[in-house]
Amino acid sequence: QVQLVESGGGLVQAGGSLRLSCAASGLTFSSRAMGWFRQAPGKEREFVAAITWSTYFPYYADSVKGRFTISRDNAKSTVYLQMNSLKPEDTAVYYCAAAQPNQLRVKVNHTYDHWGQGTQVTVSS
């Protein structure tokens, strides 16, 4: 059975850092782009970051550019999101997602066919 399990969320003060991990199983990890999305209270789910399967090329939302770094380890079937200089507006449930094989439209949620359960990130002011 396909599983995406996020970990690393929690409560942190503004300016602090967190590292999210997403461990995948039951799918062909190395042929899929991987992404992170988030949903804040009262808002729609939004794209945060993604990384391709072939060149490991990263994509970022403007709101996190320069603060967040996405990476992946195909040997461990794991994708990471390093979050630095966190702000209260980063507070959200963060979701890991696996794209359909060989898909390139990594900034839209319909590209992804598997999603994790989400992990809460809360940034206090």
Side-chain angles (χ1 to χ4, degrees), residues 57-110:
F57 191 87
Y59 298 82
Y60 299 100
D62 288 342
S63 60
V64 306
K65 195 175 301 180
R67 299 187 297 120
F68 291 11
T69 302
I70 189 171
S71 61
R72 67 189 294 163
D73 186 338
N74 285 353
K76 296 181 178 180
S77 295
T78 301
V79 62
Y80 306 93
L81 186 67
Q82 178 66 46
M83 305 185 294
N84 298 327
S85 301
L86 283 162
K87 306 174 181 179
E89 50 263 44
D90 294 318
T91 295
V93 177
Y94 283 71
Y95 296 92
C96 172
Q100 298 174 38
N102 304 314
Q103 290 295 308
L104 299 175
R105 298 171 60 87
V106 297
K107 294 184 178 181
V108 295
N109 56 15
H110 291 302

Side-chain angles (χ1 to χ4, degrees), residues 8 11-12 35 39-40 45 74 76 81 97 101 103 123:
L11 175 64
V12 65
Q39 187 166 20
R45 183 173 55 188
N74 285 353
K76 296 181 178 180
L81 186 67
Q103 290 295 308
V123 184

